[in-house]
Amino acid sequence: MASLDPTNLRSAQVVVAHADCPDGIASALLLHAALPEAEVRFVEHGTPEHRDLAAVAGMVFCDIVPPAARAAEFVAAGAVVLDHHRSARDVIAAFGPRGVFADEDDERGVSGALLAYREVWVPLLGESAPARRFAELAGIRDCWLTEHPDWREATNQAAALLLWGYPELATGPGVPPSLSEAQAAAGARAVTRRADTARQIAARELLFATPRLAIYNDRERSVSDVAQAAFELHPELAVVAGFYFKVTSEGRMLLVCSLRSRPLGVDVAAIAKRLGGGGHRAAAGFGREVTTDMPNPLTLLTGLLSPNLSEAGGAQPGPR
């Protein structure tokens, strides 16, 4: 496990965190409190914002890495990179002592937020039980540790982070991020609603491109919940792919695809990496810029995923 030089941290000017992700928000909140003078930017993989990100001095990446094709520019600029996504390991290695990677096989539950706490908060501010707890809950949810005794609290926190967002929850220098009772309660209600919706989607809206691959329109951005319900309903299913569209800051349309597999099943991070994205073994994703001649999403994703799935390893699903 690498340990960052606090000198590199104190000169931070820009924090780059993973957009549209509870763990990315949690990471940004912790880093903002530890590095209050740094500008916080949220970026999503596969977008023009990520691909064209300028390499400037004083950058700290957390829960996301610089674009792989331009990693050398960010190494030269002295960037610090903290991430736990399997597909990002090679990029992080290029940063030497300024890069920290948490391997999901060796450090279960260590997400971007816990890296932010462990590698930035503690060296600069010292230990904090509330900040560590906040980070640990983010990791439990982001790493999908459903059997963890704090799973329910972790899912409630994640839902609340998405509901309220970074600007509302950002704290002052050295103040651990937290949720009010009302915010936590709103998160719990959102979790219940999302689980009910996910079960309905899993039962009615999946298109089976093959017996092992199901694709659906992820309007609710709830692919993890839908996949969990779908795996219970369909014993032969190996991968669930949810897609949605988003508009980038440049006015371009992006098709985003999120992949989920069973524990110890298909390595969807390897599939996503081949398609220009990345993630974890059981949770990954990639994007495609929408063009006028692009096939409909179901045709496109079936064509992209089916050949990769047939080559992928992992334990075969069976009756449960």
Side-chain angles (χ1 to χ4, degrees):
M1 180 177 67
S3 181
L4 297 174
D5 182 349
T7 302
N8 292 328
L9 300 175
R10 293 191 180 97
S11 61
Q13 300 177 32
V14 179
V15 167
V16 182
H18 192 186
D20 297 332
C21 168
D23 187 44
I25 297 172
S27 301
L29 291 170
L30 288 159
L31 291 174
H32 170 68
L35 304 167
E37 300 303 318
E39 173 194 355
V40 175
R41 301 179 188 173
F42 288 94
V43 179
E44 186 171 349
H45 281 291
T47 62
E49 292 93 335
H50 183 243
R51 184 181 63 242
D52 301 333
L53 192 63
V56 298
M59 302 183 83
V60 176
F61 288 79
C62 190
D63 202 41
I64 191 169
V65 298
R70 298 176 49 231
E73 297 176 37
F74 295 88
V75 172
V80 169
V81 182
L82 314 170
D83 200 11
H84 65 127
H85 295 96
R86 179 187 296 263
S87 55
R89 186 171 199 154
D90 292 344
V91 175
I92 297 169
F95 288 81
R98 297 196 307 275
V100 180
F101 172 70
D103 190 321
E104 62 185 296
D105 292 333
D106 299 329
E107 299 185 89
R108 295 187 74 232
V110 178
S111 68
L114 201 47
L115 284 172
Y117 173 76
R118 188 176 77 187
E119 304 295 335
V120 179
W121 183 291
V122 172
L124 296 182
L125 301 175
E127 294 283 354
S128 164
R132 181 178 183 86
R133 176 65 174 171
F134 182 82
E136 287 174 340
L137 290 173
I140 291 167
R141 170 56 176 77
D142 193 65
C143 297
W144 209 249
L145 305 184
T146 58
E147 302 305 316
H148 196 284
D150 296 327
W151 170 250
R152 174 64 66 179
E153 185 179 356
T155 58
N156 293 348
Q157 175 179 287
L161 290 176
L162 288 175
L163 280 174
W164 299 100
Y166 168 82
E168 179 71 22
L169 297 173
T171 59
V175 179
S178 63
L179 300 174
S180 68
E181 289 186 10
Q183 289 167 336
R189 291 192 296 271
V191 168
T192 299
R193 289 194 301 270
R194 190 172 61 206
D196 291 341
T197 301
R199 284 190 289 269
Q200 295 176 28
I201 292 172
R204 303 174 187 172
E205 298 186 23
L206 300 182
L207 171 74
F208 282 81
T210 74
R212 300 182 67 213
L213 171 64
I215 303 172
Y216 80 102
N217 186 350
D218 188 22
R219 296 181 297 272
E220 303 294 328
R221 311 283 183 92
S222 57
V223 66
S224 294
D225 301 277
V226 171
Q228 187 173 31
F231 291 145
E232 293 174 358
L233 287 172
H234 306 288
E236 298 303 315
L237 186 59
V239 172
V240 173
F243 69 87
Y244 62 89
F245 293 94
K246 67 173 294 181
V247 179
T248 71
S249 62
E250 298 175 340
R252 301 175 184 175
M253 184 73 74
L254 192 72
L255 174 67
V256 180
C257 179
S258 299
L259 306 174
R260 298 294 184 270
S261 64
R262 298 175 186 268
L264 302 181
V266 172
D267 186 349
V268 292
I271 294 175
K273 188 174 183 179
R274 287 195 290 270
L275 297 172
H280 303 288
R281 180 184 182 92
F286 64 95
R288 279 288 187 277
E289 192 167 322
V290 175
T291 61
T292 55
D293 58 349
M294 177 181 281
N296 74 67
L298 297 176
T299 301
L300 174 69
L301 295 176
T302 298
L304 291 173
L305 297 173
S306 294
N308 282 288
L309 183 57
S310 65
E311 299 173 3
Q316 294 290 316
R320 301 182 64 181

